[in-house]
Amino acid sequence: MKRTPEPELMQSPSQVRAYADADFSRSDSMVIQSLEKYLKKVGKTLNKTDLIFDIACGPGNISERIAKNWPFVNVVGIDGSKEMLNEAENKLLKSLSKNLSYQLIEINSIAKGETHFPFKADVLVSNSALHHFHDPYGFWGALKKLGKNKCIHIHRDLIRPPSIEKAFEIKEKHLSNSPEILKKDFYASLKASFTVDEVTQQLIDAGLSQLKVFQVDELYFEIIGCI
Ligand SMILES: C[S@@+](CC[C@H](N)C(=O)[O-])C[C@H]1O[C@@H](n2cnc3c(N)ncnc32)[C@H](O)[C@@H]1O
């Protein structure tokens, strides 16, 4: 199936609300597990000077989990949607995580050099982000600018199914009881996603081939490594 990009930023209030209300906890927790596993593998212990960015953080589901799991590490969630960051900030008011903050930044502008973020990260994380980029090199270009030398990367995203029929089947299977707007967005996301082969090529083209991409299950791939 040919890729059909979807709008980059998620800004419609009903779309943002449906996304923020949805339960992605199973998949979200796997991002944290992957980071824990990789840190163990490379023998790195995070300490209070380390900085973690959650790229295209949306309502902050992953940022919150990271901030709770490593309460002494500073975590910054970055997204270009004010509506999404409002959701994230509201949750932050309740959780009172002191080590978490959010930045409203359109990520392609970092890749283009139009926005200069004053700090660089020790760890870059993203979830369900890459497929939103019309040009994936906007995403990869920004990551290159945002990471310190030897930055650890954990990125998780949807895999584009082989056919429209399969995309429909996956949507019905995984979101059968969800609100219509979430199902519609999920279906659009499946069609906008990349295959593992496409991401492998992107990493080579972007000069990031030390990062490895592998299929996790029917829905997701992960990209992990240190660069
Ligand atoms: C599917 S949501 C994922 C949110 C979050 N990472 C999570 O796992 O819950 C995708 C997010 O990417 C953001 N986004 C997409 N393109 C972006 C860009 N060019 N710059 C900044 N944020 C972007 C959207 O606004 C949206 O919040």
Side-chain angles (χ1 to χ4, degrees):
M1 171 174 67
K2 204 168 159 281
R3 177 179 190 234
T4 312
E6 61 176 336
E8 292 202 345
L9 301 182
M10 292 175 72
Q11 292 173 305
S12 128
S14 53
Q15 176 190 42
V16 168
R17 186 98 293 276
Y19 191 89
D21 285 346
D23 179 11
F24 297 116
S25 52
R26 197 180 147 269
S27 173
D28 290 351
S29 67
M30 288 180 75
V31 179
I32 311 304
Q33 281 171 30
S34 293
L35 177 54
E36 278 175 334
K37 223 163 109 184
Y38 189 74
L39 288 169
K40 203 166 163 194
K41 185 178 156 189
V42 296
K44 174 157 173 77
T45 309
L46 294 178
N47 61 56
K48 63 179 195 279
T49 61
D50 285 318
L51 190 53
I52 304 182
F53 295 168
D54 177 14
I55 305 297
C57 63
N61 300 354
I62 305 287
S63 320
E64 291 260 352
R65 280 175 185 267
I66 296 173
K68 280 204 183 81
N69 215 50
W70 290 279
F72 43 86
V73 172
N74 280 309
V75 182
V76 181
I78 299 175
D79 203 282
S81 161
K82 182 80 194 109
E83 292 72 13
M84 276 293 189
L85 288 193
N86 284 343
E87 292 285 343
E89 298 278 5
N90 286 341
K91 280 200 284 172
L92 185 55
L93 284 176
K94 289 179 203 145
S95 78
L96 299 172
S97 296
K98 294 218 170 6
N99 57 329
L100 172 60
S101 61
Y102 292 104
Q103 290 282 333
L104 180 67
I105 299 177
E106 198 284 304
I107 288 159
N108 292 299
S109 71
I110 299 174
K112 288 182 196 149
E114 294 164 2
T115 301
H116 297 278
F117 198 65
F119 307 104
K120 284 185 187 258
D122 298 277
V123 180
L124 286 169
V125 171
S126 75
N127 184 57
S128 279
L130 173 64
H131 75 264
H132 273 271
F133 286 75
H134 293 177
D135 175 1
Y137 298 100
F139 179 79
W140 299 121
L143 294 197
K144 284 168 84 169
K145 294 206 166 148
L146 289 170
K148 283 182 193 166
N149 193 21
K150 302 232 170 80
C151 177
I152 289 173
H153 290 252
I154 307 280
H155 307 289
R156 181 178 172 86
D157 204 354
L158 292 166
I159 297 173
R160 189 168 80 252
S163 66
I164 199 91
E165 292 79 15
K166 188 71 187 167
F168 189 83
E169 184 193 311
I170 289 175
K171 174 195 68 146
E172 290 304 316
K173 179 172 154 193
H174 291 274
L175 266 78
S176 55
N177 297 321
S178 301
E180 236 6 86
I181 186 162
L182 201 65
K183 284 170 93 168
K184 191 170 154 253
D185 268 0
F186 182 63
Y187 189 48
S189 289
L190 286 171
K191 293 191 286 177
S193 298
F194 296 101
T195 64
V196 169
D197 284 350
E198 285 166 349
V199 176
T200 304
Q201 190 59 50
Q202 288 168 19
L203 291 170
I204 294 169
D205 294 344
L208 294 168
S209 55
Q210 291 99 315
L211 304 181
K212 297 297 165 219
V213 52
F214 58 93
Q215 181 160 358
V216 176
D217 54 28
E218 176 182 49
L219 283 181
Y220 291 101
F221 60 72
E222 280 186 6
I223 300 158
I224 299 189
C226 177
I227 197 155

mmCIF file of all heavy atoms in Angstrom, residues 2 4 21 23-24 33 43 48 65 84-85 98 102 107 123 144 158 170 183 195 199 204 207 209 226:
data_model
loop_
_atom_site.group_PDB
_atom_site.id
_atom_site.type_symbol
_atom_site.label_atom_id
_atom_site.label_comp_id
_atom_site.label_asym_id
_atom_site.label_seq_id
_atom_site.Cartn_x
_atom_site.Cartn_y
_atom_site.Cartn_z
ATOM 1 N N LYS A 2 0.550 2.190 -0.870
ATOM 2 C CA LYS A 2 1.296 3.438 -0.962
ATOM 3 C C LYS A 2 1.037 4.284 0.294
ATOM 4 O O LYS A 2 -0.060 4.249 0.835
ATOM 5 C CB LYS A 2 0.818 4.197 -2.205
ATOM 6 C CG LYS A 2 1.805 5.165 -2.760
ATOM 7 C CD LYS A 2 1.339 5.626 -4.155
ATOM 8 C CE LYS A 2 1.979 6.939 -4.520
ATOM 9 N NZ LYS A 2 1.361 8.102 -3.913
ATOM 10 N N THR A 4 0.040 7.387 2.531
ATOM 11 C CA THR A 4 -0.778 8.603 2.441
ATOM 12 C C THR A 4 -0.504 9.438 3.683
ATOM 13 O O THR A 4 -0.987 9.102 4.774
ATOM 14 C CB THR A 4 -2.292 8.258 2.422
ATOM 15 O OG1 THR A 4 -2.507 7.224 1.469
ATOM 16 C CG2 THR A 4 -3.129 9.474 2.102
ATOM 17 N N ASP A 21 -7.675 11.200 25.907
ATOM 18 C CA ASP A 21 -8.518 10.334 26.748
ATOM 19 C C ASP A 21 -8.268 8.845 26.504
ATOM 20 O O ASP A 21 -8.694 8.011 27.299
ATOM 21 C CB ASP A 21 -10.006 10.606 26.482
ATOM 22 C CG ASP A 21 -10.449 11.922 27.117
ATOM 23 O OD1 ASP A 21 -9.691 12.451 27.946
ATOM 24 O OD2 ASP A 21 -11.544 12.408 26.762
ATOM 25 N N ASP A 23 -6.607 5.122 26.040
ATOM 26 C CA ASP A 23 -5.690 4.357 26.888
ATOM 27 C C ASP A 23 -4.641 3.658 26.012
ATOM 28 O O ASP A 23 -4.921 2.645 25.384
ATOM 29 C CB ASP A 23 -6.488 3.324 27.691
ATOM 30 C CG ASP A 23 -5.576 2.474 28.577
ATOM 31 O OD1 ASP A 23 -4.385 2.826 28.716
ATOM 32 O OD2 ASP A 23 -6.057 1.459 29.112
ATOM 33 N N PHE A 24 -3.439 4.232 25.990
ATOM 34 C CA PHE A 24 -2.342 3.621 25.231
ATOM 35 C C PHE A 24 -1.316 3.034 26.201
ATOM 36 O O PHE A 24 -0.137 2.907 25.870
ATOM 37 C CB PHE A 24 -1.651 4.673 24.342
ATOM 38 C CG PHE A 24 -2.534 5.274 23.287
ATOM 39 C CD1 PHE A 24 -2.857 6.623 23.308
ATOM 40 C CD2 PHE A 24 -3.040 4.495 22.259
ATOM 41 C CE1 PHE A 24 -3.660 7.187 22.326
ATOM 42 C CE2 PHE A 24 -3.851 5.049 21.271
ATOM 43 C CZ PHE A 24 -4.156 6.397 21.306
ATOM 44 N N GLN A 33 10.104 0.358 29.058
ATOM 45 C CA GLN A 33 10.816 -0.920 29.207
ATOM 46 C C GLN A 33 11.988 -1.011 28.231
ATOM 47 O O GLN A 33 13.064 -1.477 28.589
ATOM 48 C CB GLN A 33 9.867 -2.083 28.932
ATOM 49 C CG GLN A 33 8.959 -2.409 30.099
ATOM 50 C CD GLN A 33 7.889 -3.429 29.701
ATOM 51 O OE1 GLN A 33 8.094 -4.270 28.842
ATOM 52 N NE2 GLN A 33 6.730 -3.323 30.323
ATOM 53 N N GLY A 43 25.164 -0.464 29.909
ATOM 54 C CA GLY A 43 25.779 -0.173 31.214
ATOM 55 C C GLY A 43 25.732 1.300 31.579
ATOM 56 O O GLY A 43 26.631 1.806 32.246
ATOM 57 N N LYS A 48 21.520 12.938 37.558
ATOM 58 C CA LYS A 48 20.777 14.207 37.544
ATOM 59 C C LYS A 48 21.278 15.232 36.526
ATOM 60 O O LYS A 48 20.580 16.216 36.271
ATOM 61 C CB LYS A 48 20.694 14.811 38.951
ATOM 62 C CG LYS A 48 21.993 15.187 39.595
ATOM 63 C CD LYS A 48 21.675 15.787 40.948
ATOM 64 C CE LYS A 48 22.781 16.514 41.534
ATOM 65 N NZ LYS A 48 23.847 16.075 42.195
ATOM 66 N N ARG A 65 5.640 9.337 32.099
ATOM 67 C CA ARG A 65 6.170 8.043 32.558
ATOM 68 C C ARG A 65 7.683 8.118 32.773
ATOM 69 O O ARG A 65 8.210 7.589 33.753
ATOM 70 C CB ARG A 65 5.875 6.946 31.518
ATOM 71 C CG ARG A 65 4.470 6.415 31.594
ATOM 72 C CD ARG A 65 4.204 5.428 30.466
ATOM 73 N NE ARG A 65 2.819 5.025 30.485
ATOM 74 C CZ ARG A 65 2.344 3.955 31.121
ATOM 75 N NH1 ARG A 65 3.172 3.153 31.754
ATOM 76 N NH2 ARG A 65 1.066 3.669 31.108
ATOM 77 N N MET A 84 -2.285 20.164 22.111
ATOM 78 C CA MET A 84 -1.724 18.965 22.756
ATOM 79 C C MET A 84 -0.970 19.360 24.034
ATOM 80 O O MET A 84 -1.094 18.715 25.075
ATOM 81 C CB MET A 84 -0.761 18.242 21.812
ATOM 82 C CG MET A 84 -1.433 17.306 20.859
ATOM 83 S SD MET A 84 -2.168 15.886 21.729
ATOM 84 C CE MET A 84 -2.609 14.875 20.326
ATOM 85 N N LEU A 85 -0.197 20.432 23.940
ATOM 86 C CA LEU A 85 0.591 20.824 25.122
ATOM 87 C C LEU A 85 -0.301 21.333 26.248
ATOM 88 O O LEU A 85 0.048 21.191 27.425
ATOM 89 C CB LEU A 85 1.673 21.844 24.749
ATOM 90 C CG LEU A 85 2.842 21.265 23.946
ATOM 91 C CD1 LEU A 85 4.003 22.254 23.885
ATOM 92 C CD2 LEU A 85 3.347 19.931 24.493
ATOM 93 N N LYS A 98 8.311 17.633 39.170
ATOM 94 C CA LYS A 98 9.161 18.837 39.138
ATOM 95 C C LYS A 98 10.249 18.756 38.068
ATOM 96 O O LYS A 98 10.873 19.753 37.733
ATOM 97 C CB LYS A 98 9.821 19.013 40.503
ATOM 98 C CG LYS A 98 8.824 19.329 41.613
ATOM 99 C CD LYS A 98 9.415 20.334 42.596
ATOM 100 C CE LYS A 98 8.474 20.909 43.589
ATOM 101 N NZ LYS A 98 7.133 20.418 43.671
ATOM 102 N N TYR A 102 7.516 21.376 29.282
ATOM 103 C CA TYR A 102 7.123 21.227 27.874
ATOM 104 C C TYR A 102 7.548 22.448 27.063
ATOM 105 O O TYR A 102 7.587 23.565 27.587
ATOM 106 C CB TYR A 102 5.607 21.027 27.772
ATOM 107 C CG TYR A 102 5.168 19.695 28.346
ATOM 108 C CD1 TYR A 102 4.549 19.616 29.597
ATOM 109 C CD2 TYR A 102 5.402 18.511 27.647
ATOM 110 C CE1 TYR A 102 4.167 18.393 30.135
ATOM 111 C CE2 TYR A 102 5.031 17.284 28.180
ATOM 112 C CZ TYR A 102 4.415 17.232 29.410
ATOM 113 O OH TYR A 102 4.053 16.016 29.936
ATOM 114 N N ILE A 107 8.908 20.867 14.932
ATOM 115 C CA ILE A 107 10.179 20.143 14.889
ATOM 116 C C ILE A 107 10.950 20.305 13.580
ATOM 117 O O ILE A 107 12.186 20.343 13.580
ATOM 118 C CB ILE A 107 9.933 18.661 15.283
ATOM 119 C CG1 ILE A 107 9.638 18.626 16.796
ATOM 120 C CG2 ILE A 107 11.117 17.765 14.965
ATOM 121 C CD1 ILE A 107 8.908 17.420 17.280
ATOM 122 N N VAL A 123 19.361 11.555 26.016
ATOM 123 C CA VAL A 123 18.452 10.497 25.538
ATOM 124 C C VAL A 123 17.334 11.162 24.730
ATOM 125 O O VAL A 123 16.726 12.133 25.186
ATOM 126 C CB VAL A 123 17.825 9.707 26.716
ATOM 127 C CG1 VAL A 123 16.881 8.628 26.198
ATOM 128 C CG2 VAL A 123 18.899 9.100 27.624
ATOM 129 N N LYS A 144 19.237 14.839 14.907
ATOM 130 C CA LYS A 144 20.698 15.010 14.829
ATOM 131 C C LYS A 144 21.133 16.281 15.539
ATOM 132 O O LYS A 144 22.190 16.354 16.146
ATOM 133 C CB LYS A 144 21.138 15.037 13.359
ATOM 134 C CG LYS A 144 21.135 13.656 12.733
ATOM 135 C CD LYS A 144 21.290 13.701 11.256
ATOM 136 C CE LYS A 144 22.730 13.799 10.819
ATOM 137 N NZ LYS A 144 22.846 13.576 9.362
ATOM 138 N N LEU A 158 4.180 3.136 14.437
ATOM 139 C CA LEU A 158 3.346 2.170 13.725
ATOM 140 C C LEU A 158 4.024 1.719 12.435
ATOM 141 O O LEU A 158 4.766 2.493 11.813
ATOM 142 C CB LEU A 158 2.009 2.818 13.358
ATOM 143 C CG LEU A 158 1.083 3.151 14.527
ATOM 144 C CD1 LEU A 158 -0.031 4.085 14.052
ATOM 145 C CD2 LEU A 158 0.502 1.884 15.131
ATOM 146 N N ILE A 170 -6.776 -4.257 10.904
ATOM 147 C CA ILE A 170 -5.995 -3.917 12.112
ATOM 148 C C ILE A 170 -6.738 -2.872 12.941
ATOM 149 O O ILE A 170 -6.830 -2.971 14.160
ATOM 150 C CB ILE A 170 -4.577 -3.423 11.718
ATOM 151 C CG1 ILE A 170 -3.751 -4.585 11.193
ATOM 152 C CG2 ILE A 170 -3.870 -2.752 12.887
ATOM 153 C CD1 ILE A 170 -2.380 -4.197 10.670
ATOM 154 N N LYS A 183 -10.736 6.015 15.943
ATOM 155 C CA LYS A 183 -10.592 4.965 14.922
ATOM 156 C C LYS A 183 -10.176 5.574 13.587
ATOM 157 O O LYS A 183 -9.305 5.058 12.891
ATOM 158 C CB LYS A 183 -11.926 4.216 14.745
ATOM 159 C CG LYS A 183 -12.212 3.247 15.864
ATOM 160 C CD LYS A 183 -13.610 2.716 15.789
ATOM 161 C CE LYS A 183 -13.707 1.427 15.034
ATOM 162 N NZ LYS A 183 -15.029 0.782 15.203
ATOM 163 N N THR A 195 7.274 1.567 6.450
ATOM 164 C CA THR A 195 7.620 0.158 6.652
ATOM 165 C C THR A 195 9.016 0.100 7.292
ATOM 166 O O THR A 195 9.774 1.086 7.262
ATOM 167 C CB THR A 195 7.655 -0.602 5.309
ATOM 168 O OG1 THR A 195 8.699 -0.034 4.515
ATOM 169 C CG2 THR A 195 6.318 -0.494 4.586
ATOM 170 N N VAL A 199 12.245 2.727 6.795
ATOM 171 C CA VAL A 199 12.955 3.380 7.903
ATOM 172 C C VAL A 199 14.447 3.009 7.870
ATOM 173 O O VAL A 199 15.306 3.866 8.106
ATOM 174 C CB VAL A 199 12.321 3.014 9.277
ATOM 175 C CG1 VAL A 199 13.130 3.607 10.417
ATOM 176 C CG2 VAL A 199 10.880 3.509 9.346
ATOM 177 N N ILE A 204 19.955 5.172 6.880
ATOM 178 C CA ILE A 204 21.196 5.187 6.083
ATOM 179 C C ILE A 204 21.357 6.564 5.442
ATOM 180 O O ILE A 204 22.394 7.214 5.565
ATOM 181 C CB ILE A 204 21.174 4.073 5.005
ATOM 182 C CG1 ILE A 204 21.197 2.698 5.678
ATOM 183 C CG2 ILE A 204 22.346 4.230 4.029
ATOM 184 C CD1 ILE A 204 20.908 1.530 4.737
ATOM 185 N N GLY A 207 22.414 9.348 7.660
ATOM 186 C CA GLY A 207 23.701 9.179 8.355
ATOM 187 C C GLY A 207 23.513 8.699 9.785
ATOM 188 O O GLY A 207 24.310 9.005 10.672
ATOM 189 N N SER A 209 22.909 5.304 10.537
ATOM 190 C CA SER A 209 22.770 3.854 10.388
ATOM 191 C C SER A 209 23.237 3.069 11.615
ATOM 192 O O SER A 209 23.041 1.852 11.666
ATOM 193 C CB SER A 209 23.477 3.371 9.129
ATOM 194 O OG SER A 209 24.802 3.807 9.171
ATOM 195 N N CYS A 226 22.677 4.138 19.857
ATOM 196 C CA CYS A 226 23.430 5.229 20.475
ATOM 197 C C CYS A 226 24.263 5.845 19.364
ATOM 198 O O CYS A 226 24.886 5.135 18.586
ATOM 199 C CB CYS A 226 24.304 4.598 21.556
ATOM 200 S SG CYS A 226 25.367 5.751 22.378
#
